[in-house]
């Protein structure tokens, strides 16, 4: 069981070595292979592939640049949400393709709900530690997060939720639906297991955002930083 995930994702680890980190579509593929819920998406290398996905899935969609040179996509205008027509999708793809190091664009379903961040850092002393916080711009401003050592169990997750100030957002705030806490708990536990399996390869993982509603918690962006091999 242990090495199965590693075996399946070896090609991704190999091709990411040079850049030192794993881009969104590859990181999402690893999580999907590990059994986690990720946004339905495709890695489109040309306009026709982008349009084909949107037609099959239905508009609106999101389009995002994929480039080993671009680690924060929205900083460079590399994320466009709410694309509601073929014309806009084609224009967006053309624009994204001009960004440095462009290798393609992720075209994804639009997820709805509140944005959380779930992270992992492989600590040289403690091994993998897992972080939960409210996602979006708030992450850097409030630093409102809870951290526990992996592997997580249900009690860890419920005490992490209870430990962040933004827990009201998760539990339902001013008429907004409470998040599906069962789905969030399962996601965090399974994520911590995956991180433990990948421990010797990765330095850190960011799932930001994980978009949670009353019925689903889905990973909408992922980035994995590889360990420098000494
Ligand atoms: P980056 O973190 O590299 O800037 P993201 O993929 O996180 O790029 O996109 C930035 C923001 O765009 C997210 O925080 C979220 O608000 C929105 N977003 C990205 N993907 C989706 C999606 N599939 N559904 C809904 N919103 C999305
Ligand atoms: Mg992100």
């Amino acid at each position: 069981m242990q090495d199965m995930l590693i075996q399946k994702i070896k090609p991704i680890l190999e091709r990411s070595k040079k850049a030192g980190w794993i881009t969104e579509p590859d990181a999402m593929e690893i999580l999907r292979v590990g059994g986690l819920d990720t946004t339905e998406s495709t890695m489109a290398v040309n306009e026709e592939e982008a349009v084909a996905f949107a037609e099959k899935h239905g508009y609106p969609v999101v389009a995002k640049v994929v480039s080993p040179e671009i680690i924060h996509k929205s900083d460079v205008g590399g994320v466009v949400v709410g694309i509601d027509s073929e014309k806009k999708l084609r224009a967006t793809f053309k624009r994204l393709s001009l960004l440095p190091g462009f290798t393609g664009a992720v075209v994804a379903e639009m997820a709805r709900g509140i944005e959380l961040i779930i992270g992992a850092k492989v600590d040289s002393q403690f091994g993998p530690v897992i972080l939960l916080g409210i996602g979006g711009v708030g992450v850097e401003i409030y630093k409102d997060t809870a951290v526990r050592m992996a592997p997580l169990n249900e009690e860890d997750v419920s005490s992490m939720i209870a430990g962040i100030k933004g827990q009201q957002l998760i539990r339902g705030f001013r008429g907004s639906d409470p998040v599906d806490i069962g789905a969030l708990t399962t996601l965090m536990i399974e994520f911590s297991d995956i991180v433990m399996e990948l421990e010797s390869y990765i330095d850190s993982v960011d799932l930001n955002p994980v978009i949670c509603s009353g019925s689903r918690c889905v990973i909408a962006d992922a980035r994995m930083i590889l360990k420098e091999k000494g």
Side-chain angles (χ1 to χ4, degrees):
M1 191 60 205
Q2 261 280 314
D3 291 334
M4 288 247 301
L5 180 63
I6 298 292
Q7 285 315 319
K8 284 190 190 154
I9 68 168
K10 266 271 153 68
I12 295 179
L13 293 171
E14 282 301 315
R15 68 169 174 260
S16 308
K17 257 189 201 157
K18 197 170 153 230
W21 64 284
I22 305 177
T23 56
E24 173 179 346
D26 280 346
M28 295 284 257
E29 175 64 17
I30 292 174
L31 298 164
R32 211 171 288 133
V33 170
L36 300 186
D37 190 13
T38 57
T39 41
E40 205 183 309
S41 64
T42 195
M43 161 71 172
V45 299
N46 58 48
E47 246 177 85
E48 300 318 314
E49 286 181 13
V51 170
F53 173 86
E55 272 171 11
K56 186 161 139 256
H57 179 274
Y59 292 92
V61 293
V62 180
K64 312 192 236 185
V65 67
V66 180
S67 162
E69 296 170 36
I70 301 174
I71 201 152
H72 297 290
K73 302 176 291 287
S74 45
D75 286 358
V76 297
V79 177
V80 180
V81 299
I83 299 169
D84 57 7
S85 70
E86 180 179 337
K87 195 174 162 214
K88 283 187 198 161
L89 180 56
R90 286 186 184 276
T92 301
F93 192 97
K94 282 197 183 81
R95 191 176 61 71
L96 294 180
S97 70
L98 302 175
L99 291 170
F102 173 89
T103 57
V106 164
V107 184
E109 67 170 304
M110 279 285 292
R112 283 167 217 286
I114 67 156
E115 298 195 2
L116 302 179
I117 176 171
I118 299 174
K121 169 89 188 150
V122 179
D123 185 276
S124 54
Q125 280 186 39
F126 302 111
V129 292
I130 309 292
L131 168 152
L132 171 71
I134 303 298
V137 281
V139 175
E140 275 138 54
I141 300 170
Y142 301 115
K143 300 206 162 53
D144 179 21
T145 55
V147 178
R148 294 286 182 287
M149 273 189 262
L152 299 179
N153 60 32
E154 276 185 43
E155 276 168 42
D156 293 321
V157 176
S158 73
S159 76
M160 288 173 86
I161 295 171
I164 55 177
K165 295 188 200 90
Q167 64 172 295
Q168 275 177 294
L169 280 170
I170 296 174
R171 298 191 197 280
F173 186 60
R174 292 197 179 153
S176 73
D177 274 353
V179 160
D180 182 342
I181 298 211
L184 175 59
T185 305
T186 307
L187 178 90
M188 289 188 60
I189 291 172
E190 291 180 353
F191 173 63
S192 83
D193 290 340
I194 291 173
V195 170
M196 296 209 41
E197 286 189 50
L198 301 179
E199 184 179 351
S200 54
Y201 297 87
I202 54 170
D203 176 62
S204 65
V205 184
D206 267 310
L207 315 181
N208 184 25
V210 174
I211 301 184
C212 291
S213 68
S215 57
R216 189 185 184 198
C217 257
V218 61
I219 302 163
D221 181 30
R223 163 170 61 243
M224 300 184 179
I225 312 289
L226 296 172
K227 264 197 185 129
E228 282 179 39
K229 289 273 182 242

